[in-house]
Amino acid sequence: GEFVYPYFRRCIDICHAAGAYTIKHSDGNLWPIMELIAASGIHAINPLEPEAGMDLGEMKRRYGDRLCLTGNISCGYTLSSAPPEVVEQEVRAAIRAAGPGGGYIMMSSNSLHSSVRPENYRAMVAAARRYGRYPLRFSGG
């Protein structure tokens, strides 16, 4: 933190002075530095990889009042190998965990790389349209 954080914060301050929103992209397990990231003044964090232990519900509880959360739909198994029904389930679970109150952008946990199946991408978009309406109300399962 002592070497990188001051420069990171300076970049964010410059963006804010220009009227820009800021989003931090960082892969992996961010829990050890998440408090520093949240305190930096960024507006959003991306991509929140489930494979790296970035639990979306816990992120929402801890940081949902300060940060827009993005990602968390696995581009590893879910978008590359899972049946479309699993994609829909994961999208619904993500929206349920992070959608209430706003501040969540549903997207891949990293990128849409060459192994992502087009039908799974389409299933992700369809599920987002189906379950991502406000106000979010969930009944049952």
Side-chain angles (χ1 to χ4, degrees):
E2 70 180 284
F3 298 109
V4 175
Y5 187 77
Y7 299 102
F8 178 56
R9 182 61 204 241
R10 186 170 175 214
C11 289
I12 292 165
D13 291 343
I14 290 168
C15 291
H16 289 177
Y21 291 102
T22 53
I23 185 169
K24 173 65 179 142
H25 175 92
S26 189
D27 299 334
N29 184 336
L30 303 176
W31 289 119
I33 59 170
M34 200 54 228
E35 200 51 51
L36 272 177
I37 291 172
S40 71
I42 62 164
H43 293 97
I45 183 75
N46 165 271
L48 302 177
E49 297 177 288
E51 295 89 350
M54 297 308 296
D55 180 84
L56 191 57
E58 187 62 23
M59 281 294 295
K60 181 70 170 189
R61 282 186 288 286
R62 290 190 193 185
Y63 301 105
D65 61 336
R66 295 188 273 168
L67 297 174
C68 174
L69 308 175
T70 73
N72 211 243
I73 307 303
S74 173
C75 65
Y77 169 69
T78 305
L79 293 178
S80 298
S81 304
E85 303 79 45
V86 171
V87 176
E88 180 174 340
Q89 291 167 2
E90 191 167 316
V91 168
R92 185 171 187 203
I95 292 171
R96 178 180 290 208
Y104 175 59
I105 299 172
M106 191 285 309
M107 61 191 294
S108 162
S109 66
N110 188 295
S111 63
L112 297 175
H113 51 76
S114 61
S115 294
V116 169
R117 293 170 51 200
E119 59 269 28
N120 286 14
Y121 173 78
R122 287 190 296 272
M124 180 179 73
V125 171
R129 289 181 175 148
R130 186 174 307 114
Y131 301 112
R133 305 243 184 248
Y134 286 91
L136 296 175
R137 294 190 183 110
F138 289 97
S139 59

